[in-house]
Amino acid sequence: MKRTTFLSALLLCSASFAMAQTKYNFSNYSFTDSYGETFSPVGPFYHVSANGQYAVGCDDIEMSYGESFLWDKSNPNELTLINASSNRISAQDVSNDGIVVGSFENREDEDTKAICYPGFRTLDGTWTALPVPDEYDLSQAKSYNYMEEARAITPDAKYIAGNVHYVVGYNSTWGWSISYLTPILWEKTDDGYVMKNVYLNLGDEGKSKVYDNGELKTVDHAVNYKTFVVYDISDDGSVIVGVNTAGSGGQNPAIIKNGELIQLFDCGGDVDDANNFNGGVCNSIDANGNVYGYYQNDDATEIKYFVYTTEGNLEYFDKQVFCATKDGQQVTSETVDLYSILDCSDDGSVIVGGGIASTGWGGSYNTPALVVGAITTAVDRLDAIKNNIGIDYRRGGMLYINGEYLNADVYSASGALVASGKQGKAFNTAGLAGGTYVVKVTTANGVKTFKFAK
């Protein structure tokens, strides 16, 4: 699963940066395998530990060797190759004490794939499989690349979140198992990690919520839920963020909290919505519990960035925030000189992601890169996002209200009220007649007025 497809296409940084930051680009770095052959690392750094000590990444599409790598701030110019054999190994996240989570296999011979398990690696290089359900789809785990993996770990390593294919039935006609990619939460105990939750019933009647017009509302019917892919986990393990896929194909930025699926947008729940491919992702959650992500319409022509705050508000803004520090600094594409940004340490002193290198035959690929040093460029804070009230109108399409407000009303030029909504509501203007419209946004500090023409 390539997390950087959207990000790499989006980002090219052009800002100037102060000398306080040091960039480590490993595009020209090389590893040596057991046969004495050298190769370069492929793939970005996906995560950095909250304390900034470690960063991990991998080539999770097996473009070349399929390597995974670990960076240690104590020796910043070097990478540790995690898999020096033909085993499939992924590295997705790392705790403050260097516990890497991902997936791994143990092959009896290098040409025959074995079963891949979600697992964790300690600093001494030892991989340990995490427990999986009895219904774990062994055929998927043997044939697919990096689908059965731990994908996020809390800073103290107490909780791990990830995905596995869970068998829900059998197709007698074709002779194969029916399984869905299912999120799991593991908890560390005195006896090792145990499965705390296997989220099989996400979307069941009464067990999901959707954000609607300023509040979370319980869905009174079963949501046509299919899969959930984990991107991050809160520091206390209580919230998992990522994206869920409906039976209709819509990919919805969503979180799992208290065993419930919380959809921040309604991506369509009916199987008959065959052409519904709108969606996005919740890509990160900061140390304070604020969730960041983006949403786009079904033809990917409109992308809108948001934060779902710890107060329960869905708030829009104009710049993509990839991660945020504990004191509220928002890391955007202007923050550091990286081709793509994926994560940052709690204090912002280490920001990780990827560079880009040429294949030599007209193509390109991601390479690991990171920046060490204090954030020296001007950055937004969450308070600035909340207080920056404005409108974002996509001509003929959606109208978004940026910032934190109480209510927004849309009036025609004649003064007729044509639409109204609370925090986080997106207004579809497709049905409005051509002309000039007035938007009155009521905030805690008064009313602000804007205009747009359709």
Side-chain angles (χ1 to χ4, degrees):
M1 176 174 307
K2 202 64 175 175
R3 295 190 190 181
T4 54
T5 301
F6 170 76
L7 299 179
S8 296
L10 180 69
L11 295 177
L12 274 177
C13 303
S14 59
S16 59
F17 305 93
M19 295 301 292
Q21 295 181 338
T22 302
K23 181 177 178 180
Y24 296 91
N25 188 338
F26 294 93
S27 60
N28 295 317
Y29 195 83
S30 62
F31 295 118
T32 302
D33 64 18
S34 56
Y35 300 103
E37 297 180 359
T38 60
F39 55 94
S40 299
V42 176
F45 289 114
Y46 287 122
H47 277 106
V48 60
S49 58
N51 61 3
Q53 186 63 42
Y54 304 100
V56 292
C58 64
D59 168 21
D60 64 354
I61 59 171
E62 292 191 289
M63 176 178 170
S64 58
Y65 187 75
E67 69 271 11
S68 298
F69 36 85
L70 172 69
W71 176 84
D72 188 336
K73 191 175 182 180
S74 303
N75 195 8
N77 291 295
E78 300 294 326
L79 292 178
T80 297
L81 180 64
I82 291 179
N83 55 324
S85 67
S86 56
N87 288 333
R88 290 177 295 162
I89 291 178
S90 70
Q92 293 291 335
D93 200 0
V94 60
S95 69
N96 282 342
D97 56 0
I99 295 178
V100 176
V101 295
S103 62
F104 76 104
E105 67 171 341
N106 286 316
R107 299 190 184 191
E108 294 183 1
D109 66 82
E110 64 181 40
D111 296 323
T112 304
K113 285 185 177 180
I115 295 170
C116 206
Y117 287 94
F120 64 93
R121 175 191 183 272
T122 52
L123 280 175
D124 63 4
T126 302
W127 277 94
T128 302
L130 289 163
V132 294
D134 293 338
E135 294 81 4
Y136 186 50
D137 193 336
L138 300 181
S139 61
Q140 291 271 15
K142 190 172 184 179
S143 62
Y144 275 60
N145 299 328
Y146 307 118
M147 296 296 285
E148 325 302 326
E149 63 186 0
R151 294 176 59 86
I153 186 170
T154 57
D156 60 3
K158 182 174 177 60
Y159 296 101
I160 298 173
N163 312 298
V164 302
H165 274 95
Y166 188 100
V167 177
V168 296
Y170 184 78
N171 187 314
S172 57
T173 302
W174 297 102
W176 60 50
S177 299
I178 301 171
S179 60
Y180 293 121
L181 197 61
T182 301
I184 293 183
L185 179 67
W186 292 275
E187 182 180 19
K188 190 176 184 180
T189 69
D190 292 339
D191 298 321
Y193 284 98
V194 299
M195 289 183 289
K196 181 177 178 63
N197 281 306
V198 180
Y199 297 100
L200 293 174
N201 304 117
L202 291 177
D204 281 3
E205 181 178 352
K207 291 188 177 181
S208 66
K209 290 185 171 68
V210 64
Y211 190 90
D212 180 29
N213 203 25
E215 62 180 329
L216 285 181
K217 297 180 180 178
T218 299
V219 181
D220 60 3
H221 57 81
V223 173
N224 195 353
Y225 161 83
K226 189 175 181 181
T227 64
F228 186 101
V229 179
V230 173
Y231 271 63
D232 206 354
I233 189 171
S234 62
D235 284 1
D236 63 1
S238 64
V239 179
I240 299 171
V241 308
V243 54
N244 80 283
T245 302
S248 59
Q251 294 184 313
N252 185 48
I255 67 177
I256 299 172
K257 184 176 182 180
N258 299 325
E260 291 184 320
L261 175 68
I262 298 176
Q263 300 182 108
L264 298 183
F265 299 85
D266 184 2
C267 65
D270 296 329
V271 176
D272 293 337
D273 295 340
N275 295 320
N276 177 25
F277 294 103
N278 60 320
V281 65
C282 292
N283 54 263
S284 65
I285 182 169
D286 65 23
N288 299 311
N290 301 295
V291 178
Y292 298 88
Y294 70 88
Y295 179 77
Q296 64 185 23
N297 61 353
D298 56 3
D299 60 4
T301 59
E302 297 181 1
I303 296 172
K304 190 59 183 174
Y305 308 115
F306 65 82
V307 56
Y308 181 65
T309 69
T310 54
E311 294 82 15
N313 289 328
L314 181 63
E315 301 177 6
Y316 299 111
F317 48 91
D318 293 331
K319 294 180 180 178
Q320 184 169 17
V321 172
F322 301 98
C323 58
T325 65
K326 194 167 187 177
D327 66 354
Q329 297 182 81
Q330 317 297 308
V331 176
T332 68
S333 58
E334 289 85 8
T335 307
V336 291
D337 182 18
L338 290 175
Y339 184 75
S340 63
I341 303 169
L342 292 177
D343 197 19
C344 57
S345 60
D346 276 357
D347 63 359
S349 65
V350 181
I351 301 173
V352 304
I356 192 167
S358 172
T359 60
W361 57 81
S364 61
Y365 60 92
N366 289 310
T367 60
L370 55 84
V371 169
V372 176
I375 297 177
T376 55
T377 55
V379 293
D380 292 326
R381 295 178 181 272
L382 190 55
D383 285 343
I385 289 174
K386 292 180 177 181
N387 296 326
N388 188 20
I389 307 299
I391 66 171
D392 180 4
Y393 173 57
R394 316 299 174 92
R395 192 170 184 87
M398 302 303 295
L399 167 69
Y400 298 95
I401 313 299
N402 288 345
E404 186 174 283
Y405 57 96
L406 302 175
N407 194 75
D409 298 310
V410 183
Y411 296 88
S412 67
S414 64
L417 179 66
V418 297
S420 183
K422 297 180 180 179
Q423 178 71 54
K425 181 176 176 60
F427 300 90
N428 190 342
T429 69
L432 297 180
T436 300
Y437 291 85
V438 175
V439 183
K440 293 186 177 181
V441 183
T442 303
T443 74
N445 299 316
V447 177
K448 292 192 174 185
T449 302
F450 306 90
K451 290 184 179 181
F452 71 91
K454 183 178 186 296

